[in-house]
């Protein structure tokens, strides 16, 4: 009987995490304005962090905010990371990622943002987050992808589900170099 109860719990965990769905999924998010601080982020419906897709989309928003204000962006990333706030080393690495005015990198994930238009996204700000057949491992982990208008291949974020069912940012690989914006005439 104990074995059956453990097996039943494992099946429930897999169903809850979405690991049973081995097909690719895509969710699109639209923002009329990007949040500029953690208070504004928390007021968005995506801030429920009920799905890893929501957390991935908000990660891009937080990185855009970090480019303008490291303090505000760090607060937003801390919210997305849950019980794992950024360390001084994390913040230092993020600041290094934005050196030389590379604030356009996170904006490249929004629809319409291309090197030709200096990564100026269409309004409202829209981005797609997608999974593949290997995105969910059944242990509350997810690896989701976003496409940059300046990169050949999608970039990914890793997320973990906590005991309260919320999905938190674990790691992001969105700030790797992309094509530089084109300088107009």
């Amino acid at each position: 009987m104990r074995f059956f109860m453990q097996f039943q719990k494992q099946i429930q965990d897999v169903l809850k995490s979405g690991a049973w769905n081995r097909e690719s999924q895509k969710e699109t998010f639209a923002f009329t304005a990007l949040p500029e601080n953690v208070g504004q982020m928390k007021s968005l419906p995506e801030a429920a962090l009920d799905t890893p897709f929501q957390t991935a989309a908000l990660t891009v928003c937080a990185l855009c905010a970090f480019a303008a204000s490291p303090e505000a962006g760090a607060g937003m990333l801390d919210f997305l990371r849950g019980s794992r706030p950024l360390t001084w080393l994390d913040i230092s690495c993020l600041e290094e990622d934005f050196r030389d005015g590379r604030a356009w990198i996170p904006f490249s994930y929004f629809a319409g943002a291309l090197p030709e238009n200096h990564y100026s996204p269409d309004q409202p700000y829209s981005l797609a987050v997608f999974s593949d057949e290997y995105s969910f491992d059944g242990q509350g982990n997810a690896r989701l992808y976003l496409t940059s208008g300046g990169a050949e291949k999608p970039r990914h974020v890793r997320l973990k589900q906590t005991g309260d069912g919320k999905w938190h940012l674990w790691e992001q690989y969105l700030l790797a170099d992309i094509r530089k914006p084109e300088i107009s005439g």
Side-chain angles (χ1 to χ4, degrees), residues 27-45:
E27 289 192 27
T28 303
F29 298 87
F31 305 94
T32 54
L34 297 180
E36 296 178 7
N37 58 53
V38 72
Q40 290 177 5
M41 178 178 274
K42 287 180 178 181
S43 72
L44 297 171

mmCIF file of all heavy atoms in Angstrom, residues 27-45:
data_model
loop_
_atom_site.group_PDB
_atom_site.id
_atom_site.type_symbol
_atom_site.label_atom_id
_atom_site.label_comp_id
_atom_site.label_asym_id
_atom_site.label_seq_id
_atom_site.Cartn_x
_atom_site.Cartn_y
_atom_site.Cartn_z
ATOM 1 N N GLU A 27 3.932 30.243 -25.516
ATOM 2 C CA GLU A 27 3.048 31.232 -24.912
ATOM 3 C C GLU A 27 3.576 32.604 -25.274
ATOM 4 O O GLU A 27 4.777 32.860 -25.194
ATOM 5 C CB GLU A 27 2.985 31.067 -23.398
ATOM 6 C CG GLU A 27 2.226 29.828 -22.968
ATOM 7 C CD GLU A 27 1.920 29.803 -21.484
ATOM 8 O OE1 GLU A 27 1.814 30.886 -20.860
ATOM 9 O OE2 GLU A 27 1.800 28.694 -20.946
ATOM 10 N N THR A 28 2.662 33.471 -25.674
ATOM 11 C CA THR A 28 3.021 34.832 -26.042
ATOM 12 C C THR A 28 2.492 35.788 -24.976
ATOM 13 O O THR A 28 1.368 35.624 -24.502
ATOM 14 C CB THR A 28 2.436 35.188 -27.424
ATOM 15 O OG1 THR A 28 2.918 34.232 -28.374
ATOM 16 C CG2 THR A 28 2.854 36.577 -27.857
ATOM 17 N N PHE A 29 3.314 36.757 -24.631
ATOM 18 C CA PHE A 29 2.970 37.735 -23.603
ATOM 19 C C PHE A 29 3.050 39.129 -24.219
ATOM 20 O O PHE A 29 3.941 39.407 -25.015
ATOM 21 C CB PHE A 29 3.930 37.637 -22.419
ATOM 22 C CG PHE A 29 3.874 36.314 -21.737
ATOM 23 C CD1 PHE A 29 4.663 35.260 -22.175
ATOM 24 C CD2 PHE A 29 3.010 36.097 -20.678
ATOM 25 C CE1 PHE A 29 4.602 34.020 -21.565
ATOM 26 C CE2 PHE A 29 2.935 34.862 -20.063
ATOM 27 C CZ PHE A 29 3.731 33.815 -20.499
ATOM 28 N N ALA A 30 2.114 39.995 -23.849
ATOM 29 C CA ALA A 30 2.111 41.368 -24.340
ATOM 30 C C ALA A 30 2.018 42.320 -23.150
ATOM 31 O O ALA A 30 1.256 42.079 -22.209
ATOM 32 C CB ALA A 30 0.949 41.593 -25.298
ATOM 33 N N PHE A 31 2.812 43.374 -23.216
ATOM 34 C CA PHE A 31 2.850 44.384 -22.159
ATOM 35 C C PHE A 31 2.644 45.755 -22.809
ATOM 36 O O PHE A 31 3.362 46.108 -23.739
ATOM 37 C CB PHE A 31 4.199 44.368 -21.438
ATOM 38 C CG PHE A 31 4.570 43.025 -20.878
ATOM 39 C CD1 PHE A 31 5.361 42.145 -21.598
ATOM 40 C CD2 PHE A 31 4.115 42.630 -19.625
ATOM 41 C CE1 PHE A 31 5.710 40.902 -21.088
ATOM 42 C CE2 PHE A 31 4.449 41.386 -19.107
ATOM 43 C CZ PHE A 31 5.241 40.519 -19.839
ATOM 44 N N THR A 32 1.679 46.516 -22.310
ATOM 45 C CA THR A 32 1.478 47.870 -22.848
ATOM 46 C C THR A 32 2.640 48.768 -22.451
ATOM 47 O O THR A 32 3.020 49.668 -23.187
ATOM 48 C CB THR A 32 0.148 48.480 -22.362
ATOM 49 O OG1 THR A 32 0.099 48.424 -20.942
ATOM 50 C CG2 THR A 32 -1.033 47.720 -22.942
ATOM 51 N N ALA A 33 3.194 48.526 -21.287
ATOM 52 C CA ALA A 33 4.386 49.239 -20.808
ATOM 53 C C ALA A 33 5.215 48.238 -20.013
ATOM 54 O O ALA A 33 4.659 47.326 -19.388
ATOM 55 C CB ALA A 33 3.995 50.418 -19.930
ATOM 56 N N LEU A 34 6.514 48.403 -20.046
ATOM 57 C CA LEU A 34 7.378 47.509 -19.280
ATOM 58 C C LEU A 34 7.485 47.997 -17.846
ATOM 59 O O LEU A 34 7.584 49.207 -17.604
ATOM 60 C CB LEU A 34 8.768 47.442 -19.918
ATOM 61 C CG LEU A 34 8.816 46.876 -21.329
ATOM 62 C CD1 LEU A 34 10.256 46.856 -21.843
ATOM 63 C CD2 LEU A 34 8.221 45.481 -21.374
ATOM 64 N N PRO A 35 7.461 47.079 -16.887
ATOM 65 C CA PRO A 35 7.594 47.494 -15.491
ATOM 66 C C PRO A 35 8.976 48.104 -15.245
ATOM 67 O O PRO A 35 9.970 47.644 -15.800
ATOM 68 C CB PRO A 35 7.402 46.192 -14.705
ATOM 69 C CG PRO A 35 7.759 45.110 -15.677
ATOM 70 C CD PRO A 35 7.387 45.623 -17.033
ATOM 71 N N GLU A 36 9.007 49.139 -14.428
ATOM 72 C CA GLU A 36 10.260 49.827 -14.131
ATOM 73 C C GLU A 36 10.779 49.528 -12.737
ATOM 74 O O GLU A 36 11.883 49.928 -12.383
ATOM 75 C CB GLU A 36 10.087 51.331 -14.311
ATOM 76 C CG GLU A 36 9.778 51.699 -15.751
ATOM 77 C CD GLU A 36 9.545 53.185 -15.944
ATOM 78 O OE1 GLU A 36 9.761 53.963 -14.986
ATOM 79 O OE2 GLU A 36 9.159 53.578 -17.057
ATOM 80 N N ASN A 37 9.966 48.847 -11.919
ATOM 81 C CA ASN A 37 10.398 48.489 -10.564
ATOM 82 C C ASN A 37 9.615 47.267 -10.106
ATOM 83 O O ASN A 37 8.667 46.834 -10.779
ATOM 84 C CB ASN A 37 10.217 49.675 -9.595
ATOM 85 C CG ASN A 37 8.791 50.160 -9.546
ATOM 86 O OD1 ASN A 37 7.867 49.397 -9.316
ATOM 87 N ND2 ASN A 37 8.597 51.450 -9.789
ATOM 88 N N VAL A 38 9.993 46.729 -8.968
ATOM 89 C CA VAL A 38 9.382 45.484 -8.498
ATOM 90 C C VAL A 38 7.904 45.677 -8.168
ATOM 91 O O VAL A 38 7.099 44.765 -8.375
ATOM 92 C CB VAL A 38 10.182 44.877 -7.325
ATOM 93 C CG1 VAL A 38 10.014 45.692 -6.055
ATOM 94 C CG2 VAL A 38 9.795 43.429 -7.095
ATOM 95 N N GLY A 39 7.509 46.856 -7.695
ATOM 96 C CA GLY A 39 6.098 47.109 -7.410
ATOM 97 C C GLY A 39 5.245 47.017 -8.660
ATOM 98 O O GLY A 39 4.178 46.396 -8.661
ATOM 99 N N GLN A 40 5.728 47.628 -9.739
ATOM 100 C CA GLN A 40 5.002 47.556 -11.004
ATOM 101 C C GLN A 40 4.974 46.122 -11.527
ATOM 102 O O GLN A 40 3.962 45.673 -12.061
ATOM 103 C CB GLN A 40 5.641 48.486 -12.033
ATOM 104 C CG GLN A 40 5.440 49.950 -11.748
ATOM 105 C CD GLN A 40 6.141 50.849 -12.745
ATOM 106 O OE1 GLN A 40 6.723 50.400 -13.729
ATOM 107 N NE2 GLN A 40 6.101 52.160 -12.483
ATOM 108 N N MET A 41 6.081 45.403 -11.359
ATOM 109 C CA MET A 41 6.117 44.018 -11.819
ATOM 110 C C MET A 41 5.098 43.171 -11.058
ATOM 111 O O MET A 41 4.368 42.385 -11.657
ATOM 112 C CB MET A 41 7.511 43.414 -11.654
ATOM 113 C CG MET A 41 7.581 41.939 -12.071
ATOM 114 S SD MET A 41 9.220 41.241 -11.933
ATOM 115 C CE MET A 41 9.875 41.718 -13.530
ATOM 116 N N LYS A 42 5.041 43.355 -9.754
ATOM 117 C CA LYS A 42 4.121 42.558 -8.937
ATOM 118 C C LYS A 42 2.660 42.834 -9.266
ATOM 119 O O LYS A 42 1.795 42.010 -8.963
ATOM 120 C CB LYS A 42 4.381 42.810 -7.450
ATOM 121 C CG LYS A 42 5.652 42.172 -6.941
ATOM 122 C CD LYS A 42 5.841 42.457 -5.456
ATOM 123 C CE LYS A 42 7.078 41.787 -4.915
ATOM 124 N NZ LYS A 42 7.251 42.055 -3.467
ATOM 125 N N SER A 43 2.369 43.979 -9.885
ATOM 126 C CA SER A 43 0.981 44.297 -10.232
ATOM 127 C C SER A 43 0.538 43.623 -11.533
ATOM 128 O O SER A 43 -0.645 43.652 -11.867
ATOM 129 C CB SER A 43 0.806 45.816 -10.349
ATOM 130 O OG SER A 43 1.431 46.303 -11.517
ATOM 131 N N LEU A 44 1.465 43.013 -12.257
ATOM 132 C CA LEU A 44 1.126 42.333 -13.511
ATOM 133 C C LEU A 44 0.528 40.950 -13.234
ATOM 134 O O LEU A 44 0.936 40.280 -12.283
ATOM 135 C CB LEU A 44 2.378 42.177 -14.378
ATOM 136 C CG LEU A 44 3.041 43.467 -14.849
ATOM 137 C CD1 LEU A 44 4.387 43.165 -15.502
ATOM 138 C CD2 LEU A 44 2.117 44.216 -15.798
ATOM 139 N N PRO A 45 -0.391 40.483 -14.064
ATOM 140 C CA PRO A 45 -0.965 39.148 -13.858
ATOM 141 C C PRO A 45 0.088 38.043 -13.929
ATOM 142 O O PRO A 45 -0.021 37.034 -13.230
ATOM 143 C CB PRO A 45 -1.990 38.994 -14.984
ATOM 144 C CG PRO A 45 -1.982 40.247 -15.766
ATOM 145 C CD PRO A 45 -0.983 41.190 -15.196
#
